[in-house]
Amino acid sequence: MVKVNKKLSVKIGTTAFSIEEDAYRALSDYFDDIRERLEEESAAETMNDLEMRVADLLSGWLGNPENVVDIYHVRKVQEVIGRPEEFGELRRPQSGHLGKEEAIKRL
């Protein structure tokens, strides 16, 4: 059975893209992980710059605006931009994740 991904219309930077649902989730998680590592004072500007760079990369790879961003493109973005860890340490634990002390207290 072939799995069909829903396609979404999104704006990355100032460019509109069609993106498969699983690719959208992966890219959104990637952006969220990076955002959680940035200083609050510079996060908005840095994320804006990052989104513009991602839009440039995707536009170059896709060529035709009718082409759809898929998980392969998101993985390529991550290879070029880098892992979220390269942007610094997490400012606070991600939702749903307990820090070591919190996990011990819950036991």
Side-chain angles (χ1 to χ4, degrees):
M1 185 171 183
V2 176
K3 180 184 175 198
V4 178
N5 266 316
K6 268 201 277 189
K7 292 177 185 73
L8 308 169
S9 294
V10 299
K11 192 173 183 182
I12 302 172
T14 58
T15 308
F17 292 95
S18 291
I19 185 169
E20 291 181 353
E21 189 174 30
D22 63 340
Y24 172 80
R25 279 194 307 273
L27 187 58
S28 180
D29 289 347
Y30 179 67
F31 284 158
D32 288 345
D33 198 2
I34 291 172
R35 188 178 294 107
E36 288 297 317
R37 296 167 187 280
L38 300 173
E39 295 296 325
E40 288 186 43
E41 304 80 39
S42 62
E45 182 179 350
T46 302
M47 290 307 299
N48 183 57
D49 292 346
L50 180 66
E51 287 185 26
M52 295 299 285
R53 176 67 176 130
V54 169
D56 286 343
L57 289 170
L58 292 173
S59 293
W61 294 330
L62 294 173
N64 184 339
E66 294 178 14
N67 291 335
V68 178
V69 177
D70 61 19
I71 196 69
Y72 169 77
H73 296 108
V74 174
R75 298 294 178 237
K76 282 179 62 174
V77 162
Q78 293 170 337
E79 287 175 16
V80 172
I81 302 295
R83 295 184 332 267
E85 296 81 19
E86 295 173 32
F87 287 82
E89 296 293 320
L90 283 172
R91 287 185 287 129
R92 59 184 170 270
Q94 292 178 329
S95 60
H97 293 83
L98 298 175
K100 185 176 180 179
E101 289 180 25
E102 291 175 280
I104 292 171
K105 288 179 187 176
R106 286 208 168 173
L107 294 176

